[in-house]
Amino acid sequence: MKFGRFLLWFFHPLYWFLFPFKAYGKENIPPFSPDDRLIICANHISDIDPVYLEMCQKRHVFFMAKAELFRGRFSRWFIGRLFGAFPVERGKGDTGAIDKAEEIVNSGRLLGIFPEGTRSRDGQLGRAKSGAALIAARTGANILPVCIVAKDQKVRLFHRAKVIFGKPMTPQELHLDDPERPDLRFASRALMQRIGEMIDQANAQ
C-alpha cells in the first residue's frame, strides 16, 4: 500500500495534466489518529474518482469497492494489495465486508465509500445504499461528505474537476447515535442531500 501511494504521487504531475483538478476544504479532514473515526463518502461520476480522493489530500483512503473489480488476478493485486481496497458483494448483505470496514474505521484509518454503490451514468445523484450509515452507526464515526464536480458531470481529458470536502457530519446529526435503533434511511438521505447541496453551490460559483 505504501508503494501504491508512492506511485500515485510519482505520477501526480502527469495525472493532473491529463485530468486537472482543484481541491477545496482539505482542512476538514483531520490528521490520522487511532482515536478518530471517519468515513469519507462522495458522489461517483467516473472510474477515476478514487484517484481524485487519494491525490487531493495526504491520508490514504481504504476503499470499499464492488466485488466485480477483483475478478482478475492483476486487478485484484493492483487495487487490493497495492492500494488497500477490499471487495463487497453488492445486494447480498456482505457481512465480511462490513466487518473489514469496521476494523479500518476503528483503527483510525480513513474508509472511503461511494454511497450510491455504482457510478452514475448521467451524473445525477442516485439513492444512497445503507452501508455507510450502518458502519457509522456501529463505529460512532463521523461521515465526511465530498462532492466531485465536472462540466456536465462528465470527467474529460484536460477539463478541470473540483473536489470539495465538506464538514464532517456527526452520528447525532445523522440520527445514528442510538446503536440499538439507528435511523439508516434518514442518515442516507441526509448524506446525499448534503452532497447535492455542495454540488449546487460549486456549480453556482
Side-chain angles (χ1 to χ4, degrees), residues 3-169:
F3 182 65
R5 185 75 174 171
F6 168 77
L7 284 179
L8 284 177
W9 286 106
F10 182 81
F11 288 105
H12 186 283
L14 175 61
Y15 183 88
W16 191 92
F17 175 75
L18 296 174
F19 299 100
F21 61 87
K22 187 171 179 61
Y24 302 85
K26 291 188 290 183
E27 67 277 4
N28 292 320
I29 307 173
F32 168 78
S33 170
D35 298 322
D36 287 335
R37 293 170 172 82
L38 187 66
I39 303 170
I40 187 171
C41 291
N43 61 314
H44 199 6
I45 61 174
S46 77
D47 291 333
I48 60 175
D49 292 339
V51 184
Y52 280 136
L53 297 181
E54 280 278 2
M55 287 190 170
C56 282
Q57 46 81 41
K58 295 180 179 179
R59 293 184 61 178
H60 178 58
V61 185
F62 293 81
F63 285 101
M64 178 184 284
K66 60 184 180 181
E68 292 85 343
L69 295 177
F70 294 81
R71 301 301 189 210
R73 181 178 298 178
F74 175 78
S75 60
R76 186 166 57 249
W77 171 81
F78 188 75
I79 65 175
R81 295 292 298 275
L82 205 56
F83 290 101
F86 61 98
V88 58
E89 293 283 356
R90 297 177 297 175
K92 296 184 179 181
D94 191 342
T95 57
I98 297 297
D99 290 343
K100 177 65 176 179
E102 289 183 34
E103 175 192 339
I104 289 170
V105 174
N106 285 327
S107 68
R109 291 173 289 175
L110 186 57
L111 175 68
I113 297 177
F114 295 103
E116 296 160 283
T118 189
R119 179 169 58 88
S120 172
R121 298 295 179 179
D122 58 6
Q124 299 298 311
L125 280 179
R127 290 185 178 182
K129 309 297 184 184
S130 62
L134 176 63
I135 297 164
R138 290 186 176 182
T139 60
N142 290 339
I143 292 182
L144 187 79
V146 180
C147 72
I148 301 171
V149 181
K151 185 178 180 181
D152 301 323
Q153 288 302 77
K154 300 289 185 181
V155 173
R156 299 181 177 91
L157 282 169
F158 310 120
H159 287 258
R160 175 171 292 189
K162 296 179 182 178
V163 183
I164 303 170
F165 298 87
K167 294 186 180 299
M169 304 175 76

